[in-house]
Every structure is written in C-alpha cells, then in structure tokens.
C-alpha cells in the first residue's frame, strides 16, 4: 500500500515496548497495607506510594489519587479502585476489601474521599409529592436537611436499586436515596405509590 | 440572542452584583469594589458537602474568592424547578467564611465531578515555595444545581492560566432568565421557557380556534345537533312523565281541547303521544348520526393540518433539535397532541356548552315543576360530582401504573427475544423466565389495583347516584302523600331529570382537567411551530454562482453543550480541489469538524468560511448545493433504488442515475436484484448489505455533484475487499473536488494532500505524510501500528 514508501523509520518503532504497555493495561493490581502507603496531603486529598513491587522499575509515587467504588450500590466496601486524577485517568490498583486490606487510618482517609464523591442525601421523610404536567414536585426531609426538588415523570427518575432501595434523580441529576421504602409511613407510601 | 453583538458594558458587571451585603463588605475590606468583579456565581455547599449558600467571585485582579455561609440546620434547600427568586435570597445575619486564591499562581483549575455535583479543584504551581508545586486543594463544592456556575469559573480560570484575554462572550450570563416572570417559579425545563402554571391559556385557545375556522359552518351544524339533542333530552322526561301519565292516563279533558281533539277520544291521543315519543327518539338518533358524520368529517382534517404545520416546522429546525434528549418524546407527542387538541375542541368544547345549557334548562324546568323537590334533587347531585372529582384522578393514576408495568413487561419481552441468541448461547432460559415472572407479577398487582379501585369507584358512584334519586322519591312521596302538593306523574318526570343530570355533572368533573391537558398539548405543538431554528439563513444571504471550494476554519471553538467544548481553537485550511485527511481516536472531535463545515451547527467562537465567505452569511442553496456527505451511517429512505440515488437531485435523468451507479460500482449489484433500479429498499423493503448501502450512498453523492465532499469513515463498516472497491469509486468521486476525509485506516488517506491529527479537540499534528512521519508523533505511531505490527505477525 501507499504507506510503504515511508518505512524508513523502522528502528524507532519498538514493538516490545508497545506490547508491554498493552500488558500493563490489562493487569489487575491489588493494593493492601503491605504494598501501598496512603497519606493525607495538605490540600485535603490523598497521596499514594507503592513499594515492594517485584517488577517495579522505580518506586511509584502519586501526589493525589482518585478513590472510586467499583460497586457503589451493591458492595461499597470492596473493590475500591485507586486511579490517577487526570481526565483520562488510569487505574493504579484495586483494594479488594477496605475493611480488611488496609489500616484503620487509611480506611478512614479513603472513606472521607469517597463520602465526598458519593455524597447523596438520604430521604428520611416525605412531606409531599405533587404531580403536575409531567413533573413531580418533592418536598422531603433528608439527613442533610429539608430539600425540595423536581423530577421528570419518567421511569428513569426513580430507580430501584434493590427490592426496597430507591434512588431518585432530579432535573439536574442530583441524587437522593430512600434506603428502605417499606419503612416509610402509610401516608408517605401513598405519596410515593406512583413511582413504585 | 446568539448573534447579538456584545460589548463590554457596565450593565454586565452590575448584573453580577447581586451579592449579599456581608460579602460586599468583606470584599471591600480586601480592597475589591463592585467594578473589580468579573463574575460571581452561586454555590450551594460547603467543602464538607453540607448544603449552604455560597458564592465564587472572580476579580479582575485575578483573585478567586470563595464565600460560604455557615450551614443552618433546618434550612430548606431548593433545587431546580422548586427554587424561586425569593428562596434564593439569603438571610442577613449569617456567618460567612472566606477563602482567597490567586489564579495567576495556579497550574490548573478544574471541576472534578462527583455522582451528583462536583468540586472546583485548584492545582498550585511553584512560585517561590517548591513545596507548593502540584499541591491541589478544593476551592468550592456544588451540587449539579449550581454546576453551570462552577464550570464557568473553571473556564475563566483556564483562560487566565493560559494567559488569554477574557472577552465579554465568556462573561455572559449563561443562565438567561430561568424564572417565570409571573409566579416566580423556576421553569421546570430550562430549554422550554414555559411556566405550566402561568402559560397564556387564552391566547393558545384562540390560536387553536383558528384551525377550526375553515369548518365554521359544519361546526355550526354540529353545534345545532348538540343543541337539538339537549332539547330533546329535556323534552323526553316531560313527555314520558307529565304528558303521558298526567294528561293522557289521567284523562285530562283540558288537554284534549287544547289539542282540539274530541272529548273522550283518549285512544287517539294515546296513539298521538306514542307517535310523538317514537318520533322524538328517532329524531334523537338521526341528530346523533348527523353529528357523528360532521365530527368524522372535521376532526381528521383539523388533525391533518395541525400535523402538517408541526412537521413543516420541524423540518426547518436545526439538527440540534433532533439530537437533543427530548426529541423522541416530542415526536410521539406531536402525533398524539394534535389528536388531543382537535378532540377537545370538536368533542369536548361543544359538549361542555351543551351540558351547561342542559343543566341550567333542567334546573329551571325542575324548579317550575316543584321547587322543594328541585332543591332536594340539586342538593344530592353534587355528591356524584364530588365522587368522580376525587376518585377519577386516582383511578387514572392506577391506570397509568398498569400502563407503565405493561410497557416494562413488553420491553422485557422485546429485550429477551432480540437477545435470543445470547440467551441460548449462555443457557439462561431459566433465569430469563424468572426475570419475566418478576415483571409479570408487577403487571398483575397493578392490574389488581386498577380493578379494585375501579370497583370501588363504580360502587360509590352508583350509590351516590341512587341516593339522589332515592331522596327525590322519598321527598316526592312525602310531598304527594302528606302535603298533596302534586301528583305522581310529576315525580316520574323528576326522576327522569335526575337520571339525566348525572351525565353532564360527571362530564364537568373531568372537563377542566381535559381542558388543561389540551392547552398543554396545544402549547407543545405551538412551541414547535414557533421554534426559531438556531441555524438560520441570513437575510440577503450571499449566493455564489461558481465556487472554488476553499474551506477554512479560524480559531473555532465549539461544544454541543455550552460548557463542554469538543473542539478547542481549531485552525485549518483546505484549498479548492485538495484533499484533507483527518485522523484521531474516536471521540476526539473529527465528526464535529465536518458537522461545522456542513453547517449543521454554528461554532461558538471563531469562523468557518467557504471561499472566504463566512458560512453564516452564505445562502443555504449555495451551501447545501455544494456540500455532500458520505458517512458511515448510510440512510436509505423508503423507496426505490433509483429514488434513493436521486435523493438530492430529483430531476436527474435515468442515464445520469445509471452513470452515478456505475461510478460508485453499484450498477452491477443493482442489476442483479430482481427489480433492478425499481427495487424497493428502505425500512420496509429489501435488505441491503453494508457495502451495498455504502455504494448507493456514494452514488447519491456522485449524482449530487458537490464541490465539497465529506467522507466520514465512509468505509469503516465494510470488509477489506469491499473497501477496496469502494475506495476506487471514491477515487473517482474526489477528482476535482475539495475532499475532507475522516478515517481510521490510514490507507484510506494515502491520496490526501495534507493531514491533521485531532486529539482531545485540538489539532495535535498537521502536515503532509512525510512531515508527520518525521515528527515521530501520534501519526507515526499509528502508521507503524497499522503497517508494521501486522507485518511482524506475518499478516500482511
């Protein structure tokens, strides 16, 4: 093909290096108290040092890492993914079980980060839900104080995460959670009835 | 709005001066006056994610100041759609916390998204203190409600960090007025500046009446029919009760002489009355038929003209409208909205007037007959009205729930059947049955709820109905027996009226809901009809007779959503007759470039020109007549092959169509099809393979004979062999045209005069093959990957 004319630069192309990169992309690395040291940064984030890796070229250090849950709804404590913070972030490693694999202090540190990321007010009381012209107007109490918000009247606004757990998403995409709707009072259930 | 020239004005600065006094005072103590403020935006959280009001203020001195009030327990937080101007004002005596950042000391500022909000993160650079290098800190937290403000600050900070001028466009208030000017409620849908509470029902009503105007005589006839029915309905109980019982069976001589019949000839009079009654019934039926015929004649025509208007208006709208999230619902609504509106105006409205008339007339007759009895009857009437008023909406809710459950069940079935291959391959039939059973169970319980409530409703309704007539009988009997006010026939007449009144009453209970629904439908329809397309042809647009085909983009920045630029500062130029290749990974913005060149969108910043003329000034005829696109998604319209090829030039002769097909190497396979060029293709017709469709769309482009040809991954979806064939057709096609070609396979671009590599919305590399290979950058790597890596494995 036409491109064959440009084959002058063969030497610089290192296939092995590329394959190594691909392999690194496909690797799953577990982090635990032995190989990973997390520390608080002055700006309130978390840094990470990785030590004792057999095949590590040099000790890895990350000024700031992103802490993400792999299963935020079904298994919030397990498979915590630690990744770099740029826009197209790469995973550094996974903590299999945050309750067992890391120290208490580290766990607290990481959970702080996650609590900010997964901040979702929990609805404790439904005062009123009014439906009008394709929107539903909610007046609720949450653990973060009373909230009033509006959702579209379609099936994706109130999603059940389990048999009893509901997630409500407002016009802007703000999330609110009802951890167990069966524990609401009869009057509240009646208001919610439309979405069940 | 968008084309208005903006100049830096005092007003814009004042607009952002709606800060609470405490913040103003604090700013003053920091030596910042109102005039120093570039922009101020709202936030709604503190750094611990507690809801509380706050502001982010960016000053001309390149300082970013964040102010948050201490959270107050019990303070209500309003989100979009609930927030009003009033709820936005912050009480005076709050304690405020301030933080100040120097934007010029920053390396980077960005919004990190969380699940329902984000954090504005600032990354410092080493100024004097090496410790500070790379230190990140959070400046503010927002929920999605205040996200647009945070991204605006992000954008401005980025500009300051990049050392760019901040122009007025960047400062412009994104949130145009988001509140209803009448009731102060925020619009539930900011794309639709309509307050459902305050929309002008009167003018919508009048406008809708306009659709009925051509049929005014028929509507008059229909109205008369309704009137006649109502009148006959009123006469009937009278005939049945007073006349038959009282006058005839009661042997009223006066009545005979009134009708000038000889006395004692009651058999004759009976015959007469019965005949009258039969005639009345027959007339009622005839009038009913006439009215039905009229409705059948008018409704479809009104619906048709409404739909035509809506569809015509939709065609003029920009592509943006069709890709926006709500299009799907808008489309289906267009269909049902026109039904709803015309149905209401032709069925509901006249019936409403007649019902009002009937109720009043019946009430008058009843009062004339016996006022005490009338009062009793009318007192119990509202019970049925109230029963339906309260219970019907609840019944509809249950119907709605059943509808949703059924729909979800249907989609489960659809999901399962279309994925049958996968289900079988993984042996999941059993679990699919269980999944189905779960949805099926939901339908069952929803169904049960409907039936339960429906029964309750009917029982209560008929009980209320019976109660009314029972009371009339009891009171009537009392009046007859004890007070001897009137005779039995009056009671019969009365009972008849009571029975007839429940219908209109019932109608009234849902009429108002019907009215609002109809107005809402009409509003939605008119919204589309009135929508002003974003991409509009200018008045006195320039038409070019002969074009060279030089395309140029200057400093183009564009994003489908305002805050998320897909293209950043793109500069490129293709000389007339040359070919430009665009390379880049998916999502890098390649297709966006060609969307701008064919003016499906207008850039937010910068210009796109054709032969030096801004596309915005060019007539649609010149532009669309000279630009054609062959893309990866080929679309075949319903129709014959020939019609599809001649889509852009309906007047093309058969010879021309065949020539185009030959050039696109489509002629052979078309002739192999049983019906040749007359084969019906498209959604209902014959299936074509990907390569065949692609070749037909190339033939379409050849026939259109554009000066500028855009190939958007035209060969990405076909096999290598077909690609070779198509490539040859394309080589025929690009001769003498300006060609802009997007491709993954670099071999497709071997004839390109120049190439650009797009990465994350920016031009990463630019030049000829040789130049790019010398740069040893992305292009080089790509080329090596595609030729060398395969060659090493012995594939090539």
């Amino acid at each position: 093909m036409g491109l064959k004319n440009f084959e002058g630069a063969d030497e610089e192309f290192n296939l092995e290096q590329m394959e190594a990169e691909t392999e690194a992309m496909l690797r799953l690395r577990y982090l635990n108290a032995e190989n990973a040291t997390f520390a608080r940064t002055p700006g309130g984030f978390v840094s990470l040092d990785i030590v004792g890796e057999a095949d590590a070229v040099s000790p890895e250090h990350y000024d700031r890492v992103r802490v993400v849950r792999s299963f935020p709804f079904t298994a919030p404590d397990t498979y915590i993914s630690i990744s770099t913070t740029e826009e197209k972030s790469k995973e550094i490693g996974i903590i299999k079980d945050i309750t067992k694999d890391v120290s208490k202090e580290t766990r607290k540190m990481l959970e702080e980060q996650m609590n900010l990321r997964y901040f979702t007010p929990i609805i404790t009381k439904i005062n009123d839900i009014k439906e009008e012209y394709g929107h539903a107007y909610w007046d609720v109490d949450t653990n973060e104080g009373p909230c009033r918000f509006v959702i579209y009247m379609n099936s994706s606004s109130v999603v059940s995460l389990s048999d009893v757990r509901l997630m409500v998403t407002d016009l802007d995409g703000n999330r609110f959670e009802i951890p167990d709707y069966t524990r609401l009072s009869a009057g509240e259930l009646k208001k919610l009835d439309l979405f069940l | 709005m968008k084309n208005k020239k903006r100049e830096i004005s005092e007003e814009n600065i004042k607009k952002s001066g709606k800060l609470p006094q405490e913040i103003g005072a604090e700013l003053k103590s920091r030596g910042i006056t109102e005039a120093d403020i570039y922009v101020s935006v709202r936030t709604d959280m503190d750094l611990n994610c507690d809801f509380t009001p706050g502001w982010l203020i960016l000053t001309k001195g390149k300082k970013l100041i964040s102010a948050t009030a201490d959270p107050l327990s019990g303070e209500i937080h309003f989100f979009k759609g609930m927030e009003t101007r009033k709820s936005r004002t912050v009480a005076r005596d709050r304690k405020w916390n301030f933080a100040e950042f120097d934007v010029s000391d920053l390396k980077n500022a960005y919004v990190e998204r969380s699940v329902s909000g984000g954090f504005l993160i600032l990354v410092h650079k080493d100024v004097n203190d090496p410790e500070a290098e790379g230190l990140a800190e959070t400046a503010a937290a927002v929920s999605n409600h205040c996200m647009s403000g945070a991204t605006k600050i992000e954008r401005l900070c980025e500009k300051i960090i990049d050392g760019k001028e901040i122009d007025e466009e960047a400062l412009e208030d994104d949130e145009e007025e988001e509140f209803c000017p009448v009731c102060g409620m925020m619009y539930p849908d900011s794309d639709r500046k309509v307050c459902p509470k305050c929309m002008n029902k009167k003018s919508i009503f009048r406008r809708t009446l306009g659709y009925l105007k051509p049929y005014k005589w028929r509507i008059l006839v229909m109205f008369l029919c309704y009137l006649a029915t109502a009148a006959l309905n009123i006469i009937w109980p009278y005939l049945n009760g007073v006349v038959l019982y009282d006058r005839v069976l009661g042997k009223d001589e006066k009545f005979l002489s009134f009708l000038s019949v000889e006395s004692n000839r009651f058999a004759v009079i009976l015959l007469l009355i019965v005949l009258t009654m039969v005639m009345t019934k027959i007339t009622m039926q005839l009038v009913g038929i006439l009215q039905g015929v009229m409705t059948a004649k008018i409704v479809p025509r009104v619906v048709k003209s409404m739909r035509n208007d809506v569809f015509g208006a939709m065609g003029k709208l920009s592509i943006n409208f069709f890709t926006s999230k709500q299009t799907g619902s808008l489309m289906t609504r267009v269909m049902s909205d026109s039904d709803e509106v015309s149905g209401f105006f032709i069925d509901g409205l006249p019936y409403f007037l007649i019902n009002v008339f009937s109720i009043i007339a019946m009430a008058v007759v009843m009062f004339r007959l016996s006022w005490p009895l009338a009062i009793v009857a009318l007192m119990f009437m509202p019970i049925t009205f109230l029963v339906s008023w309260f219970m019907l909406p609840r019944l509809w809710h249950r119907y709605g729930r059943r509808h949703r459950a059924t729909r979800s069940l249907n989609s489960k079935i659809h999901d399962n059947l279309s994925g049958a291959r996968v289900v079988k391959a993984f042996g999941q039939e059993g679990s699919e049955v269980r999944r189905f059973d779960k949805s099926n169970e939901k339908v069952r319980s929803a169904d049960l709820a409907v039936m339960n409530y429906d029964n309750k409703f009917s029982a209560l309704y008929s009980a209320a109905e019976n109660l009314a007539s029972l009371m009339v009988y009891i009171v009537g009997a009392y009046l007859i027996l004890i007070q001897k006010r009137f005779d039995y026939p009056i009671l019969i007449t009365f009972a008849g009226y009571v029975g007839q009144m429940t219908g209109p009453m019932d109608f009234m209970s849902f009429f108002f809901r019907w009215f609002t629904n109809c107005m809402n439908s009409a509003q939605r329809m008119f919204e589309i009809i009135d929508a002003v397309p974003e991409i509009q042809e200018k008045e006195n647009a320039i038409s070019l007779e002969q074009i060279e085909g030089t395309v140029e983009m200057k400093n183009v920045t564009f994003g489908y959503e305002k805050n998320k630029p897909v293209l950043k500062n793109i500069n490129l130029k293709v000389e007339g007759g040359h070919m430009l290749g665009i390379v880049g990974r998916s999502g890098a913005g390649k297709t966006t470039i060609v969307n701008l060149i064919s003016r499906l969108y207008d850039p937010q910043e910068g210009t796109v020109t054709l032969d030096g003329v801004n596309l915005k000034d060019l007539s649609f005829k010149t532009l669309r007549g000279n630009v054609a696109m062959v893309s990866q998604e080929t679309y075949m319209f319903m129709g014959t092959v020939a019609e599809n090829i001649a889509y852009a030039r309906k007047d093309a002769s058969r010879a021309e169509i065949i020539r185009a097909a030959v050039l696109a190497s489509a002629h052979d396979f078309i002739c192999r099809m049983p019906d040749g060029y007359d084969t019906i293709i498209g959604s209902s017709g014959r299936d074509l393979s990907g390569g065949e469709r692609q070749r037909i769309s190339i033939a379409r482009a050849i026939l259109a004979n554009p000066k500028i040809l855009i190939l958007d991954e035209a060969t990405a979806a076909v096999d290598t062999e077909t690609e070779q064939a198509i490539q040859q057709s394309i080589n025929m096609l690009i001769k003498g045209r300006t060609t802009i070609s997007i491709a993954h396979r670099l071999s497709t671009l071997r004839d390109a005069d120049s190439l650009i590599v797009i990465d994350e919305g920016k031009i990463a590399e630019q030049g000829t093959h040789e130049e790019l290979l010398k740069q040893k950058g992305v292009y080089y790597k790509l080329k090596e990957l595609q030729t060398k890596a395969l060659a090493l494995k012995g594939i090539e």
Side-chain angles (χ1 to χ4, degrees):
Chain A
M1 277 191 264
L3 285 173
K4 281 195 179 144
N5 308 334
F6 308 111
E7 266 173 18
D10 278 2
E11 304 81 48
E12 280 91 347
F13 184 72
N14 189 340
L15 189 69
E16 268 119 64
Q17 192 202 323
M18 229 182 60
E19 276 175 354
E21 274 172 29
T22 319
E23 209 166 281
M25 256 167 66
L26 299 175
R27 191 174 47 159
L28 191 61
R29 173 162 67 180
Y30 289 108
L31 301 178
N32 52 40
E34 266 109 64
N35 65 4
T37 317
F38 293 91
R40 240 191 214 99
T41 70
F45 296 104
V46 169
S47 70
L48 168 65
D49 283 281
I50 293 191
V51 285
E53 276 280 303
D55 58 341
V57 192
S58 58
E60 289 174 56
H61 170 79
Y62 301 93
D63 280 343
R64 186 162 94 76
V65 293
R66 187 176 286 157
V67 187
V68 175
R69 288 182 174 129
S70 301
F71 301 93
F73 300 136
T74 50
D77 286 340
T78 59
Y79 298 98
I80 309 292
S81 167
I82 309 293
S83 59
T84 57
T85 53
E86 67 272 11
E87 210 176 316
K88 285 182 181 164
S89 65
K90 275 184 189 154
E91 185 179 86
I92 302 163
I94 279 191
I95 301 172
K96 217 176 197 169
D97 189 342
I98 201 172
T99 59
K100 288 184 199 142
D101 295 347
V102 292
S103 69
K104 261 193 191 137
E105 294 76 53
T106 303
R107 181 181 170 188
K108 199 171 157 239
M109 213 180 326
L110 297 179
E111 272 175 352
E112 270 172 22
Q113 300 289 315
M114 292 194 286
N115 288 342
L116 293 179
R117 182 181 174 82
Y118 294 98
F119 170 78
T120 306
I122 289 171
I123 294 175
T124 49
K125 187 163 177 272
I126 297 174
N127 298 318
D128 191 28
I129 300 175
K130 197 173 66 179
E131 192 216 334
E132 222 173 35
Y133 311 117
H135 296 89
Y137 297 78
W138 291 53
D139 176 353
V140 298
D141 288 347
T142 72
N143 61 340
E144 302 288 339
C147 291
R148 299 206 179 144
F149 58 90
V150 182
I151 66 170
Y152 290 116
M153 282 298 290
N154 57 26
S155 51
S156 55
S157 292
V158 180
V159 182
S160 41
L161 300 177
S162 74
D163 286 344
V164 295
R165 194 167 159 205
L166 300 177
M167 194 169 69
V168 187
T169 310
D170 88 342
L171 297 182
D172 280 319
N174 292 310
R175 289 176 175 181
F176 299 86
E177 196 186 317
I178 301 175
D180 183 350
Y181 74 80
T182 55
R183 280 160 64 183
L184 295 172
S185 72
E188 289 171 282
L189 269 179
K190 213 169 185 180
K191 289 168 192 138
L192 195 64
D193 187 54
L194 206 57
F195 303 98
L196 297 177
Chain B
M1 276 268 165
K2 285 193 176 127
N3 298 329
K4 241 194 264 164
K5 285 242 167 177
R6 292 179 209 88
E7 288 158 53
I8 299 255
S9 56
E10 282 302 308
E11 197 188 89
N12 221 339
I13 293 158
K14 272 194 199 121
K15 241 185 180 173
S16 41
K18 47 199 166 180
L19 298 167
Q21 277 188 342
E22 286 91 342
I23 297 184
E26 172 72 24
L27 290 180
K28 208 167 258 173
S29 78
R30 290 173 189 240
I32 296 162
T33 63
E34 242 181 52
D36 294 329
I37 297 175
Y38 258 144
V39 71
S40 63
V41 301
R42 275 160 193 281
T43 61
D44 58 357
M45 283 177 172
D46 65 10
L47 298 187
N48 300 321
C49 280
D50 286 322
F51 288 127
T52 187
W55 262 270
L56 271 173
I57 300 140
L58 189 67
T59 71
K60 290 183 179 159
K62 296 177 182 173
K63 296 249 191 288
L64 179 66
I65 292 155
S66 116
T68 45
D70 270 351
L72 271 182
S73 73
E75 190 183 28
I76 302 174
H77 305 286
F78 293 89
F79 293 87
K80 188 169 185 180
M82 277 294 213
E83 188 161 41
T84 59
R85 258 203 202 91
K86 204 174 144 219
S87 73
R88 273 195 162 188
T89 49
V90 182
R92 279 285 162 82
D93 42 0
R94 296 286 287 265
K95 192 181 169 301
W96 291 86
N97 307 303
F98 293 91
E100 189 175 318
F101 310 92
D102 223 326
V103 181
S104 42
D105 285 352
L106 296 179
K107 201 157 98 181
N108 194 4
Y110 64 94
V111 174
E112 166 123 8
R113 304 262 175 166
S114 65
V115 292
S116 53
F119 302 90
L120 180 66
I121 291 176
L122 309 177
V123 185
H124 292 270
K125 74 179 169 204
D126 161 32
V127 188
N128 302 311
D129 174 17
E131 284 282 295
E133 168 70 29
L135 180 72
E137 64 180 323
T138 312
V142 290
S143 78
N144 278 336
H145 182 44
C146 290
M147 185 55 92
S148 67
T151 51
K152 186 175 181 180
I153 295 288
E154 171 193 30
R155 225 161 50 228
L156 291 172
C157 286
E158 233 170 61
K159 283 211 160 155
I160 293 175
I161 292 165
D162 291 350
K164 274 191 204 139
E165 283 291 302
I166 293 189
D167 52 2
E168 186 70 2
E169 202 158 334
L171 283 183
E172 183 209 354
D173 223 340
D174 291 338
E175 330 170 14
E176 290 150 29
E177 273 311 319
E178 294 232 315
F179 301 98
C180 167
V182 181
C183 65
M185 188 72 111
M186 204 178 213
Y187 297 121
D189 182 350
S190 55
D191 292 335
R192 259 184 94 198
K193 300 252 175 291
V194 178
C195 177
K197 279 190 189 136
C198 310
M199 65 185 178
N200 189 345
K201 296 197 177 92
K202 229 188 237 165
S203 73
I204 297 171
F205 188 82
R206 237 179 268 143
R207 200 168 157 192
T208 321
L209 279 181
Y211 279 95
L212 304 176
K213 222 175 170 186
Y215 313 103
K216 52 186 172 203
W217 295 115
R218 290 200 178 149
I219 288 172
L220 189 70
V221 171
M222 233 174 75
F223 195 75
L224 289 176
C225 288
Y226 274 119
L227 212 62
T229 315
L232 291 173
N233 273 337
I234 293 166
I235 290 170
W236 181 256
Y238 197 78
L239 275 179
N240 193 13
V242 177
V243 176
L244 186 67
Y245 279 84
D246 215 14
R247 304 280 187 263
V248 182
L249 300 181
K251 300 197 172 178
D252 190 340
E253 288 285 348
K254 263 188 243 156
F255 186 61
L256 287 190
S257 56
F258 173 69
L259 288 177
S260 47
V261 176
E262 280 174 53
S263 55
N264 274 331
R265 301 288 295 273
F266 282 104
V268 176
I269 209 76
L270 183 62
L271 194 70
L272 212 67
I273 291 297
V274 168
L275 269 178
T276 315
M277 284 171 79
V278 169
M279 284 311 289
T280 313
K281 273 283 171 200
I282 290 177
T283 319
M284 274 162 106
Q285 291 299 327
L286 285 178
V287 166
I289 289 171
L290 183 63
Q291 173 236 314
V293 168
M294 285 296 159
T295 313
K297 277 205 169 140
I298 302 169
V299 174
R301 286 182 206 199
V302 174
V303 170
K304 185 190 152 202
S305 70
M306 279 178 182
R307 276 192 196 143
N308 266 350
D309 280 5
V310 173
F311 191 78
M314 268 189 330
K316 285 192 212 104
L317 288 174
S318 331
I319 195 87
N320 210 358
F321 173 84
F322 298 98
T323 44
S324 74
K325 276 179 268 171
Q326 295 200 311
T327 318
S329 67
L330 273 174
M331 299 286 224
T332 49
R333 280 190 155 164
V334 165
M335 301 304 283
S336 55
D337 279 348
S338 40
D339 277 339
E340 166 105 30
V341 171
S342 56
F344 173 80
F345 273 85
I346 288 162
D347 265 349
L349 202 59
Y351 200 48
F352 167 74
L353 296 174
I354 298 309
N355 276 330
V356 170
F357 166 78
S358 304
I359 290 176
I360 293 173
M362 280 193 242
V364 169
V365 174
M366 279 158 87
F367 271 98
R368 291 282 311 267
L369 287 174
S370 157
W371 66 265
L373 204 51
I375 287 176
V376 172
L378 290 181
M379 245 166 58
F380 282 91
M381 275 292 164
I383 296 181
T384 56
F385 177 79
L386 285 178
V387 166
S388 21
W389 175 267
F390 277 115
M391 288 183 86
L392 271 185
R394 283 169 178 73
L395 184 63
W396 288 333
H397 269 181
R398 279 164 178 77
Y399 272 113
R401 212 169 104 196
R402 184 174 72 176
H403 178 71
R404 283 196 295 279
T406 319
R407 210 170 45 193
S408 125
L409 183 68
N410 280 339
S411 67
K412 279 256 157 68
I413 296 175
H414 177 81
D415 191 32
N416 180 282
L417 295 185
S418 45
R421 260 170 70 107
V422 182
V423 175
K424 290 228 176 293
F426 287 94
Q428 292 300 307
E429 291 91 343
S431 75
E432 284 297 323
V433 170
R434 278 192 295 281
R435 232 155 62 102
F436 178 81
D437 183 60
K438 218 169 157 187
S439 300
N440 207 1
E441 170 61 28
K442 273 194 188 138
V443 175
R444 186 197 70 93
S445 68
D447 219 359
L448 206 66
V450 167
M451 285 190 223
N452 264 337
Y453 205 83
D454 201 12
N455 283 338
K456 247 189 244 170
F457 171 69
S458 323
L460 247 146
Y461 186 79
S462 54
E465 217 176 355
N466 288 333
L467 188 70
S469 32
L470 194 69
M471 285 316 286
V472 167
Y473 275 110
I474 292 172
V475 176
Y478 172 79
L479 290 176
I480 292 171
L481 288 176
I482 315 293
Q483 301 214 337
K484 303 211 174 1
R485 285 254 187 132
F486 51 80
D487 293 331
Y488 178 62
I490 304 264
L491 190 56
I492 297 283
T493 314
F494 237 95
Y497 281 132
V498 169
Q500 279 201 357
M501 241 173 149
T502 47
M505 282 284 189
D506 204 19
F507 177 82
M508 292 298 166
S509 73
F510 65 83
F511 175 76
F512 295 102
R513 205 174 298 268
W514 193 4
F515 175 68
T516 12
N517 280 346
C518 162
M519 286 298 104
N520 208 19
S521 290
Q523 160 77 30
R524 273 198 302 255
M525 245 172 46
F526 290 138
E527 240 165 70
I528 296 178
I529 292 176
D530 297 344
V532 180
E534 277 169 46
I535 310 287
Q536 260 179 311
E537 189 168 17
K538 247 195 190 164
E539 268 178 66
N540 314 319
I542 303 168
S543 286
L544 299 177
E545 285 298 315
Q546 201 68 45
I547 71 159
E548 287 272 322
T550 305
V551 177
E552 193 172 2
M553 291 178 114
K554 275 188 206 145
N555 304 320
V556 168
T557 298
F558 172 79
Y560 296 99
E561 283 168 59
K562 225 177 177 186
N563 295 331
K564 291 179 199 153
V566 178
L567 295 180
K568 294 163 201 154
N569 207 17
I570 298 281
N571 285 290
L572 62 86
K573 188 173 182 184
V574 200
E575 298 287 346
H578 284 228
M579 178 176 178
L580 172 77
I582 305 179
V583 186
R585 61 180 106 190
S586 42
K590 293 168 304 208
T591 305
T592 311
I593 290 185
V594 300
N595 280 345
L596 291 179
I597 292 173
S598 43
R599 207 182 167 209
L600 296 178
Y601 298 90
D602 277 336
Q604 269 130 19
E605 290 170 36
T607 54
V608 185
T609 59
L610 172 61
D611 285 0
V613 182
N614 193 332
L615 289 191
K616 288 182 183 172
D617 302 328
L618 209 58
S619 71
F620 279 177
K621 195 167 166 271
T622 309
L623 183 67
R624 309 272 190 244
N626 284 296
V627 179
M629 195 189 301
V630 179
S631 73
Q632 186 183 343
E633 303 155 30
T634 52
Y635 192 81
M636 296 292 129
F637 291 93
M638 263 190 298
T640 65
V641 173
E643 280 165 2
N644 264 290
I645 293 177
Y647 184 70
R649 267 188 55 204
K650 304 262 187 279
D651 58 338
S653 69
R654 292 205 170 81
E656 282 173 306
I657 291 175
I658 291 178
R659 214 184 76 86
V662 170
L663 284 178
S665 50
H667 181 70
D668 287 344
F669 86 79
I670 293 173
C671 288
R672 273 200 299 276
M673 293 194 287
D675 303 330
Y677 281 87
D678 289 331
T679 310
I680 304 281
I681 52 174
S683 53
S684 64
R686 203 187 126 94
D687 263 346
L688 297 178
S689 75
E692 288 168 342
R693 295 159 71 97
Q694 200 58 265
R695 275 179 269 185
I696 288 181
S697 63
I698 291 172
R700 201 187 270 167
I702 292 177
L703 195 62
N705 192 24
K707 202 68 201 159
I708 296 161
L709 178 69
I710 294 169
L711 302 169
D712 186 357
E713 314 231 359
T715 55
V718 294
D719 59 82
T720 323
E721 222 169 294
T722 318
E723 194 202 340
Q724 281 297 323
I726 293 176
Q727 199 56 52
Q728 271 174 12
S729 327
I730 287 178
N731 290 344
M732 300 287 301
L733 185 54
I734 62 179
K735 267 176 206 151
R737 301 173 208 280
T738 307
T739 310
I740 294 162
S741 175
I742 297 176
H744 278 306
R745 284 179 227 177
L746 299 184
S747 55
T748 321
L749 300 177
R750 62 188 171 206
D751 298 322
D753 298 297
S754 65
L755 290 152
I756 57 171
V757 180
I758 302 278
D759 194 31
E760 292 186 29
K762 290 180 185 155
I763 296 186
E765 292 167 22
Q766 189 163 16
T768 60
H769 275 296
E770 290 84 352
E771 284 165 1
L772 290 185
L773 289 177
K774 267 186 212 134
Q775 281 184 25
K776 299 244 152 78
V778 184
Y779 185 79
Y780 171 73
K781 207 173 164 189
L782 259 176
K783 182 246 162 190
E784 287 297 319
L785 247 178
Q786 291 194 5
T787 57
K788 195 74 190 154
L790 293 179
L792 277 180
K793 302 243 160 151
I795 290 172
E796 217 188 38

